[in-house]
Amino acid sequence: MLEQTVRNTIEKHNLIEQGDHIVLGLSGGPDSMCLFHVLRTVFKENEIGLTAVHVNHKFRPGAAEEEQEYVENLCKNAGVDCRSFVFDCNKIAEENHMTGEEAGRKVRYDSFFEVTKELREKGIPPEKIKTAVAHNMNDQAETVLFRILRGTGTDGLSGMEYRRKDEKGMIIIRPLLDVKRADIDEYCRSNKLDPKKDKSNDEPLYARNKIRLDLIPYIEENYNPGIKDALIRLCGIAYEDSCFINSEAEKALKKALISNKKGKCVLDIREIKDLHSAVLGRVIVKAMNLAGLSSDMTNSHIKQAEELIIKGETSKSTNFPHGYIMKIIYGKAEIYRQEVGETAVGTNMEIQPEKATETKIEIQPETAVGTKIKTQQKPRSGNMSESQPKERPGLKISILMKEDFAEKKDAAAFDFDMFEEAYKDNGDTFESIVLRT
């Protein structure tokens, strides 16, 4: 029955076709072991290619190495190619100011992409390489509830997609999304798969674990015993609504798009300024995607861009993460990544006096920290504000602060010493970084 469910999911969502090469995330746990066995059962050996990818996160010394060896031997005995990657995720998390869970996800998908690149270099067409991950129906319910708790919109309520393409062009598929965790456990028992269980999954260490181990059982006992099914229904309804709104946004974007060349997207704002906010917001996101920005956009960024488009005032602009900007120019919205000498927020920036005699840097609280500035000449220390720019021959730097930001406690002025703490003398160049606001 489980195999037929997976087969139906694959066919319904066009996840796998004959001749595809599947990059399978294989941890050795019940979900990935189930998917490994199902794919080798449903498809004949000559119908698809299969490469297993195992990532040792070094979270559990000893046990992690045992699981790696187990997966490698399993694949060897099955005649399946296996690539293993080892990362110190605790160290990566600390260095990048992220949680261990976030670091683990990052290195997994980096590993999937590494193998995907190798397969492309061997001549396999990119559209024929699919990365299969083993998220199941319970994972979907937990994801939706997690997003509700954090605050989300219709797209977030839609849950994880059966199939999507990430920012690197990697196709991600989830063949087990219609399968319950209990059915996976039973499948593993009946087929004697002997999966390895990560004991940390049974400990409330992360938010997702707490939702699975504490919150959902509490809701089931006190409010709704069918909460997981209810969340899956909500997910399905939201997905249908999201698909419709996004299709309308695609039509509007196509109509408004003037050009999209070399990372610069230009829109005719007359075609979109009267759209419903639900559609306009998605047009903005899709346009930012075309320009090259695919992550870290918040609702605040979108709302500021909507206001900019509706008002349509020439020369007005708003900043997005990673140095991207939307600027209104005579009835057009231009979206691009900022170059040397332009206003830079939350991005890396190099200032060269011969190219930029005056540079203004606008600081906003949500994007200021992490802004890197590299100058050919070291400006004098002291407060940096529009009224007190620091000058050197051929170079003028001033930092502008949003009025509402400057009025906040401890943010009345931006002390240039915050930069100097991070200065690195590199010949004639000085690097600085916004350490705090």
Side-chain angles (χ1 to χ4, degrees):
M1 182 178 176
L2 183 146
E3 290 173 1
Q4 187 58 49
T5 299
V6 175
R7 187 189 295 273
N8 292 342
T9 299
I10 289 172
E11 292 177 355
K12 180 179 179 180
H13 300 281
N14 190 31
L15 302 186
I16 301 173
E17 298 175 332
Q18 188 166 340
D20 284 350
H21 194 106
I22 308 302
V23 177
L24 172 65
L26 186 58
S27 67
D31 299 338
S32 64
M33 287 289 287
C34 171
L35 184 55
F36 178 74
H37 190 272
V38 168
L39 290 178
R40 296 184 67 241
T41 302
V42 170
F43 293 96
K44 296 178 181 178
E45 191 172 337
N46 61 344
E47 288 183 320
I48 63 169
L50 185 62
T51 299
V53 175
H54 178 82
V55 178
N56 177 350
H57 305 89
K58 298 186 73 173
F59 283 137
R60 296 167 294 113
E65 284 67 37
E66 289 178 7
E67 289 166 6
Q68 179 180 338
E69 184 179 5
Y70 173 77
V71 168
E72 290 170 349
N73 288 332
L74 172 76
C75 292
K76 182 178 179 180
N77 294 333
V80 173
D81 290 336
C82 180
R83 287 289 311 279
S84 292
F85 295 84
V86 180
F87 297 95
D88 187 343
C89 286
N90 284 323
K91 182 178 180 181
I92 292 171
E94 183 178 353
E95 291 175 347
N96 292 276
H97 308 290
M98 58 176 62
T99 66
E101 189 177 24
E102 291 169 337
R105 185 184 188 280
K106 179 184 183 305
V107 300
R108 283 196 298 276
Y109 281 86
D110 285 348
S111 301
F112 297 152
F113 184 62
E114 183 66 28
V115 174
T116 296
K117 283 197 302 182
E118 292 173 1
L119 293 171
R120 290 175 182 175
E121 290 168 0
K122 291 179 179 179
I124 301 177
E127 68 274 9
K128 300 299 289 181
I129 305 171
K130 315 283 178 61
T131 297
V133 289
H135 295 115
N136 58 53
M137 186 182 289
N138 294 58
D139 294 323
Q140 183 74 295
E142 292 159 13
T143 295
V144 173
L145 184 52
F146 179 67
R147 291 178 179 178
I148 291 172
L149 294 175
R150 293 181 63 182
T152 190
T154 311
D155 292 345
L157 291 176
S158 301
M160 295 178 285
E161 298 176 87
Y162 289 91
R163 174 187 175 125
R164 72 177 180 89
K165 183 180 287 188
D166 72 1
E167 63 275 6
K168 296 178 180 178
M170 189 165 60
I171 301 171
I172 315 294
I173 61 172
R174 297 183 172 90
L176 295 184
L177 271 189
D178 294 327
V179 181
K180 293 182 178 180
R181 185 172 291 135
D183 294 332
I184 290 173
D185 290 338
E186 176 56 35
Y187 184 86
C188 289
R189 282 193 295 269
S190 62
N191 288 278
K192 299 180 175 58
L193 298 185
D194 189 28
K196 299 298 178 182
K197 291 202 173 183
D198 182 348
K199 292 181 180 179
S200 66
N201 287 334
D202 297 326
E203 300 172 0
L205 300 174
Y206 305 112
R208 289 179 182 273
N209 284 21
K210 292 176 182 177
I211 289 172
R212 182 178 68 255
L213 299 173
D214 299 333
L215 183 56
I216 287 180
Y218 181 82
I219 295 174
E220 287 175 329
E221 182 178 348
N222 294 279
Y223 293 96
N224 181 2
I227 180 62
K228 289 195 283 274
D229 290 334
L231 288 167
I232 293 299
R233 288 196 302 274
L234 170 63
C235 175
I237 293 167
Y239 178 73
E240 290 181 354
D241 290 350
S242 180
C243 284
F244 173 74
I245 299 171
N246 276 298
S247 68
E248 293 299 301
E250 287 284 359
K251 295 175 188 175
L253 176 62
K254 186 176 181 180
K255 193 174 181 181
L257 187 62
I258 296 174
S259 65
N260 178 36
K261 297 178 181 178
K262 297 180 180 179
K264 185 175 184 178
C265 180
V266 182
L267 305 178
D268 183 344
I269 63 174
R270 295 171 299 180
E271 297 289 350
I272 56 177
K273 66 185 182 67
D274 295 324
L275 291 174
H276 189 284
S277 177
V279 179
L280 179 55
R282 285 168 172 81
V283 170
I284 292 168
V285 171
K286 292 177 185 297
M288 296 304 301
N289 292 164
L290 288 178
L293 179 63
S294 59
S295 63
D296 298 329
M297 286 178 279
T298 66
N299 186 58
S300 175
H301 292 118
I302 305 305
K303 290 303 179 185
Q304 289 175 21
E306 286 181 20
E307 184 179 353
L308 202 68
I309 288 172
I310 291 169
K311 290 183 177 179
E313 298 178 28
T314 292
S315 297
K316 294 290 185 180
S317 65
T318 188
N319 296 294
F320 280 77
H322 309 298
Y324 283 86
I325 186 172
M326 174 186 284
K327 191 171 186 177
I328 303 301
I329 303 292
Y330 300 110
K332 297 181 291 184
E334 297 186 352
I335 301 169
Y336 56 94
R337 191 169 187 176
Q338 299 166 116
E339 300 296 336
V340 171
E342 294 190 75
T343 300
V345 179
T347 184
N348 295 340
M349 180 180 185
E350 185 170 342
I351 302 170
Q352 298 176 333
E354 66 273 16
K355 293 184 179 179
T357 57
E358 180 174 343
T359 298
K360 295 183 179 180
I361 305 166
E362 187 175 289
I363 298 296
Q364 298 185 70
E366 66 268 23
T367 53
V369 175
T371 298
K372 292 183 180 178
I373 304 170
K374 181 183 289 186
T375 63
Q376 295 292 324
Q377 296 166 329
K378 183 178 179 180
R380 294 196 300 262
S381 63
N383 284 343
M384 293 288 287
S385 66
E386 179 63 357
S387 59
Q388 285 185 302
K390 298 299 143 187
E391 298 185 33
R392 277 289 182 267
L395 176 63
K396 175 181 175 182
I397 300 176
S398 58
I399 293 180
L400 310 178
M401 278 195 288
K402 288 287 189 184
E403 215 171 289
D404 58 342
F405 177 43
E407 289 175 355
K408 291 184 179 180
K409 185 179 180 182
D410 299 326
F414 201 92
D415 192 341
F416 193 62
D417 288 341
M418 295 178 186
F419 290 106
E420 290 215 323
E421 291 180 21
Y423 263 129
K424 295 178 182 177
D425 192 342
N426 181 23
D428 295 327
T429 301
F430 295 88
E431 282 189 22
S432 56
I433 182 169
V434 179
L435 301 177
R436 58 189 184 276
T437 59

